[in-house]
Amino acid sequence: MPTAGRLAAALAFFIYGWYIGLLATPFFPEANPPNFFIPLCVGIALFCGWVVVGSRSGRGYRAAVGNGLTGAFAFTLWLVFLMSFHNMIRKSLRRLYDGPMEGVVDIFKLMLEMGEDFFDINLIVSIVVGGVICGFVSEYFAQRYP
């Protein structure tokens, strides 16, 4: 059911995903991310805003902090997973795996490697603070327009 809280969370996370996508660009090799990286960030952020944060909005500002942090964590986890899945598919098309199970297991190794590559205090603080701000925006509109 569409509500003002869901719409506000989706729009806030849209801006959040775009900002995080631009902020994470220099951490790719030669500062050259794949062409789909920023649209992927925006799409995942829209989904997390609508489903994760928007569905829980309207419960008070204390809960909004937790909702925003949950949305930021879900956004980060899905983004790292999908980017690692993409890398696994590219490696499997070059026949670097002996079997399908080796590729599936390698996704989690690639997730850890990507987490190490993107480990920067400015990026982490931006993800956390941006998620909390998006949670507050969602809560504000959920309370004003129930």
Side-chain angles (χ1 to χ4, degrees):
M1 173 69 106
T3 61
R6 281 184 182 233
L7 179 63
L11 292 176
F13 266 85
F14 174 86
I15 296 168
Y16 170 79
W18 175 74
Y19 175 73
I20 296 299
L22 290 177
L23 194 64
T25 299
F27 297 104
F28 282 95
E30 299 176 10
N32 190 18
N35 293 335
F36 63 87
F37 180 67
I38 292 178
L40 180 68
C41 287
V42 169
I44 293 171
L46 274 171
F47 177 77
C48 288
W50 185 269
V51 174
V52 177
V53 178
S55 65
R56 299 174 182 171
S57 60
R59 298 179 184 169
Y61 286 100
R62 283 188 186 169
V65 174
N67 295 342
L69 290 175
T70 303
F73 179 75
F75 166 77
T76 305
L77 187 67
W78 275 108
L79 182 63
V80 170
F81 174 76
L82 289 176
M83 289 299 295
S84 299
F85 183 78
H86 174 261
N87 288 342
M88 185 273 298
I89 294 293
R90 280 189 16 216
K91 289 171 78 173
S92 69
L93 290 176
R94 286 187 258 145
R95 299 184 184 263
L96 297 177
Y97 299 123
D98 292 331
M101 202 60 201
E102 186 178 344
V104 171
V105 170
D106 194 44
I107 290 175
F108 299 103
K109 180 182 155 206
L110 291 171
M111 286 176 70
L112 288 174
E113 290 174 2
M114 187 171 285
E116 291 173 359
D117 292 342
F118 285 82
F119 187 78
D120 181 58
I121 192 69
N122 294 329
L123 185 61
I124 293 170
V125 168
S126 296
I127 289 172
V128 170
V129 171
V132 171
I133 290 171
C134 290
F136 281 147
V137 168
S138 172
E139 185 63 33
Y140 175 80
F141 283 99
Q143 287 186 358
R144 297 288 182 260
Y145 306 103

